[in-house]
Amino acid sequence: MRRTLNEWDLTQVADDALLATSELATNAVTYAGTEFEVRCTLEDGGVRIEVLDRHPARHIAMPEIEATSGRGLPSVDRLASSWGITYNGLTKGVWFRLDRPGARTGERPAAPALSVPSLAIDDTAGLSLPSDRVLDLRPGEESLDGAVETVRDMLSADGVAVLLTDRGGDLVLGASTGRIPDPPLARLTVASLGPHARVGAPWTTDDPTDPVAAALAARSLVAAPLQVQGRLTGVLVAVAGERGRFDEAVGKRLGRIAEEMALSMERARISELERSWRGWLSFVAEASDLLAGTLDQERTMALVAQLVVPRLATWCAVYTVDETKTARPAYVWHADETRADGLRELLTAAPQPPLDSSGAWNGHTAAPGDARAAAGSTADDLAYAFPLIARGRRMGVLVIGRPAGDRFPQSAIDLAEELSRRAALAIDNARLYTAQTATSRALQRSLLPPGIPKIPGLEVEVVYQPAGEGSEVGGDFYDVFECGADPTGAVPAARWRFAIGDVCGTGPEAAAVTGLARHALRILAAEDMPVPDVLARLNRLILAEGPRARLLTLLHGEITRRPGRDGVRIDLVSAGHPLPLVLDPDGGVHEAAEAQPLLGAFDDVEFTAQTMELRRGQVMLCVTDGVTERRSGDRLLGDGRGLENLLSGCRGLSAGAVAARIQRAVRDFGPEPSNDDVALIVLRAS
């Protein structure tokens, strides 16, 4: 969408378009639960964007203005010049229109206007956030400052302030002039105001214990509520440093001024709420992207803490829960790095935070004296705890803290709670991925031979490289082992067998066939069963698995010493597997066997061994299709004798050097990582 809008010379509205579209797309996924598509249409003077889902019957409702979730449609309503919903028999479309900045319909702007900038990720993978103060009032800052200056001159007051209500019911300093502490000395809430404010009447007081007077350090105070449609939106306050400065007449005069200012103050408050909502949405979206970008549990916890500090809190701790349901701090971060160790000691010694409910927490204040001493003033900080719960599993707790005199605004608590939900899911995903990867690697190791025997007169080198990051067990395997050896060890082994195979697919089903094949090969070889009979027996075993059976390509051979002569003799069968290649000392390359049916496809298959001699200086290369089918665009490595030409360039190299060169060529053949396992065996007669 950004690319399209740039091509249409609508770069100025791209940020708003992306934010609104992402909200509508999220709604389509969350509420419709169907596939959806996004249509972008260039119109006269702007652009029309529509998100269509396949659930026309689902009703779309606007949340209440004070709601703390479901902000998608209100965001679209604030961002767009117009929006609506269209229905037909199969789809429901939610559309919005963004006008080209500076242009009316049918006109192009004389000069592009700047859109509201989006929040950005900094170099430390953190996020830019709005100020902690919910109401910055930047859109009306000049008019507010001018208003408080005017009121101060009219009343000859020492200071004037506008206190506006936020979503949590607190009174936040919107603008001030003169003798007004910034921030106020104490927390102010709507509930703490007296009866005059509740009935919309101005009041004066010389009582220093009055909540507003105490917070603004006033000995004399006159205040008038700001009301819109009967709802308290703030308070206009004038203060003085000596008692008795204001009387009832001044209060009535200030009340009339407050009535005139109330509507403009409400517009400023709503404008700031819109900016705050946009910052909230951007923060959550960016944080989700960052958390989804890693599947490492330790890194995820570190990222959560760095998202919180210092934007939402001064310090943060991520607790994890062990098998005994005991929570311990796994990652601790403080804005002042010199305090991190003391904070960790404090939290380790303190009682654990609750695992089931969010809210203020003071368990760290009950830590032993030595731990509190090590933490210094941090031991008296305010703290909030948020349980980390994902898929019904209690993963731990997120604890955030601020100095005792620095309260948490409601916006920070809301953001931290939302972040804790997303962090819990990211940590659980990382935990599941780590467990799955560890299991897969352990299973993969069990399917590979413990070691490669030394064979007189023959260099042997093997390579196995699973695809991806090891999250799934591959279907490729190899093996080299002795057979027909004297149990007493008095006579050295004269025969060895090797195998390289590829089971169709990956995962546990493929691993089951891999384990069956590798162990069956060893067991049947121990009974001196000829190579063709081994493959016939293995074919029947795979078919006996029924619906669980998987196709298997296999190259299996027996190596026999040639006493008094150089090199070795090899009897081999290639059952649907890429044919082995032999490199001669002069650089020539030829195939060493003929193709026979793969295993697990046909019953009563008869296999025939083919015999060859690998003489001094000759090299045999056996690979899986992860080598021959390595892709680069439309080309495969094995196309046009590609593997033969590659092997021809290995003339005069040792078995280990040949294996390394082939492996490197496979890795470098395409720009993307290989999506198939790679296994190869190199035999060089010496």
Side-chain angles (χ1 to χ4, degrees):
M1 178 176 293
R2 184 181 293 278
R3 183 167 58 251
T4 299
L5 294 177
N6 289 343
E7 292 173 356
W8 290 349
D9 194 24
L10 286 166
T11 306
Q12 300 93 332
V13 302
D15 288 331
D16 288 351
L18 289 174
L19 180 58
T21 306
S22 68
E23 291 306 316
L24 295 182
T26 300
N27 285 349
V29 172
T30 303
Y31 301 116
T34 69
E35 293 182 353
F36 67 91
E37 63 179 80
V38 179
R39 294 179 182 174
C40 191
T41 306
L42 182 63
E43 295 184 343
D44 191 19
V47 62
R48 186 180 190 269
I49 299 169
E50 185 172 17
V51 176
L52 298 101
D53 62 58
R54 304 292 189 271
H55 201 328
R58 288 296 296 267
H59 177 64
I60 294 182
M62 292 280 285
E64 296 298 328
I65 192 66
E66 299 296 333
T68 58
S69 62
R71 295 264 59 89
L73 292 177
S75 298
V76 174
D77 184 50
R78 301 300 184 186
L79 293 172
S81 57
S82 59
W83 71 280
I85 305 171
T86 58
Y87 296 89
N88 62 34
L90 299 176
T91 63
K92 172 177 76 270
V94 184
W95 61 269
F96 64 93
R97 174 186 167 88
L98 295 174
D99 291 335
R100 188 186 300 274
R104 296 187 300 272
T105 301
E107 295 184 5
R108 290 184 61 86
L114 293 178
S115 65
V116 178
S118 63
L119 303 182
I121 303 174
D122 62 25
D123 293 338
T124 60
L127 305 176
S128 301
L129 275 179
S131 166
D132 285 341
R133 198 172 61 184
V134 177
L135 298 172
D136 267 345
L137 294 174
R138 295 179 185 174
E141 186 174 356
E142 292 183 2
S143 60
L144 281 178
D145 288 343
V148 293
E149 288 285 358
T150 300
V151 173
R152 182 186 179 189
D153 293 341
M154 292 172 62
L155 303 184
S156 300
D158 294 342
V160 173
V162 174
L163 304 174
L164 297 175
T165 59
D166 66 8
R167 289 187 296 121
D170 286 352
L171 291 170
V172 183
L173 191 63
S176 65
T177 183
R179 185 180 165 181
I180 299 291
D182 186 7
L185 302 180
R187 178 185 179 187
L188 286 172
T189 66
V190 173
S192 66
L193 298 178
H196 291 85
R198 288 193 285 271
V199 299
W203 74 94
T204 61
T205 182
D206 293 333
D207 182 2
T209 64
D210 178 86
V212 179
L216 301 183
R219 298 180 65 101
S220 182
L221 175 146
V222 58
L226 298 168
Q227 289 188 322
V228 175
Q229 296 180 346
R231 181 169 54 88
L232 182 68
T233 62
V235 180
L236 179 62
V237 183
V239 301
E242 63 272 5
R243 298 168 63 87
R245 282 279 299 274
F246 306 113
D247 56 20
E248 185 177 348
V250 175
K252 292 181 179 180
R253 186 179 184 190
L254 186 63
R256 290 191 295 272
I257 296 173
E259 290 177 0
E260 297 175 1
M261 293 179 59
L263 189 57
S264 63
M265 296 299 99
E266 178 66 358
R267 283 198 298 266
R269 191 181 76 91
I270 292 177
S271 176
E272 180 56 27
L273 280 175
E274 293 174 6
R275 192 181 69 85
S276 180
W277 286 337
R278 181 177 299 188
W280 187 92
L281 292 169
S282 298
F283 173 78
V284 171
E286 299 282 10
S288 298
D289 288 344
L290 289 173
L291 292 173
T294 177
L295 286 173
D296 180 88
Q297 186 170 344
E298 296 295 328
R299 185 176 179 185
T300 300
M301 290 189 293
L303 186 58
V304 170
Q306 292 174 25
L307 285 169
V308 170
V309 178
R311 296 160 186 84
L312 303 180
T314 304
W315 56 265
C316 174
V318 182
Y319 287 70
T320 56
V321 178
D322 60 19
E323 296 79 4
T324 64
K325 304 300 182 184
T326 301
R328 293 184 174 86
Y331 192 89
V332 176
W333 187 251
H334 198 290
D336 183 354
E337 294 183 12
T338 62
R339 297 191 176 192
D341 291 339
L343 175 61
R344 176 181 291 276
E345 183 176 345
L346 175 70
L347 297 178
T348 302
Q352 72 177 40
L355 299 177
D356 299 312
S357 59
S358 300
W361 178 67
N362 59 0
H364 61 296
T365 62
D370 54 346
R372 289 178 55 81
S377 61
T378 305
D380 298 319
D381 283 1
L382 299 176
Y384 268 79
F386 306 92
L388 300 174
I389 302 175
R391 303 181 179 97
R393 176 187 174 92
R394 286 162 177 77
M395 310 296 303
V397 186
L398 175 69
V399 178
I400 62 175
R402 288 193 177 197
D406 187 6
R407 69 176 184 86
F408 282 98
Q410 188 62 40
S411 59
I413 296 173
D414 292 343
L415 284 172
E417 189 163 19
E418 179 66 23
L419 181 62
S420 69
R421 287 192 285 267
R422 297 174 187 250
L425 188 60
I427 292 173
D428 193 42
N429 288 340
R431 180 189 63 82
L432 294 173
Y433 177 79
T434 300
Q436 179 185 355
T437 302
T439 301
S440 297
R441 287 174 178 169
L443 181 55
Q444 190 72 72
R445 286 193 298 269
S446 72
L447 299 176
L448 297 177
I452 303 300
K454 292 183 178 181
I455 303 176
L458 194 67
E459 297 177 22
V460 182
E461 188 67 30
V462 297
V463 169
Y464 177 77
Q465 183 175 329
E469 301 178 3
S471 59
E472 277 200 347
V473 179
D476 291 13
F477 70 95
Y478 68 88
D479 202 356
V480 183
F481 55 92
E482 293 180 359
C483 64
D486 181 3
T488 65
V491 179
R495 291 182 293 126
W496 297 262
R497 289 196 180 181
F498 70 93
I500 183 169
D502 186 359
V503 179
C504 177
T506 60
E509 296 85 357
V513 178
T514 299
L516 171 67
R518 196 174 78 81
H519 294 297
L521 290 174
R522 291 204 172 209
I523 293 172
L524 298 175
E527 297 178 358
D528 285 333
M529 185 176 288
V531 170
D533 294 346
V534 169
L535 268 69
R537 177 72 65 84
L538 181 57
N539 184 54
R540 291 195 295 271
L541 289 172
I542 294 175
L543 289 172
E545 292 290 305
R548 299 182 302 173
R550 291 296 184 99
L551 299 178
L552 168 64
T553 68
L554 180 66
L555 177 65
H556 185 34
E558 181 175 280
I559 303 168
T560 307
R561 295 175 58 186
R562 305 171 66 206
R565 304 173 65 181
D566 69 319
V568 296
R569 188 188 77 192
I570 301 178
D571 299 311
L572 56 85
V573 176
S574 179
H577 200 78
L579 298 177
L581 300 177
V582 175
L583 170 65
D584 295 326
D586 62 0
V589 177
H590 61 273
E591 294 177 344
E594 296 180 359
Q596 299 185 53
L598 77 170
L599 306 181
F602 311 104
D603 199 0
D604 298 328
V605 178
E606 297 292 334
F607 295 96
T608 303
Q610 296 170 293
T611 302
M612 62 163 294
E613 293 182 353
L614 195 65
R615 298 183 177 179
R616 179 179 298 172
Q618 286 186 310
V619 176
M620 175 183 283
L621 173 65
C622 312
V623 302
T624 58
D625 61 7
V627 175
T628 56
E629 296 181 4
R630 175 72 166 107
R631 182 174 294 276
S632 177
D634 295 332
R635 292 189 308 117
L636 301 180
L637 188 148
D639 289 346
R641 292 181 59 84
L643 185 58
E644 289 86 341
N645 296 334
L646 182 60
L647 181 60
S648 178
C650 298
R651 174 184 175 187
L653 299 181
S654 65
V658 173
R661 179 169 292 188
I662 300 298
Q663 183 182 17
R664 184 170 61 252
V666 172
R667 182 194 64 203
D668 298 340
F669 185 73
E672 301 294 331
S674 176
N675 59 1
D676 197 1
D677 302 333
V678 172
L680 59 91
I681 298 177
V682 179
L683 307 175
R684 182 180 185 276
S686 57

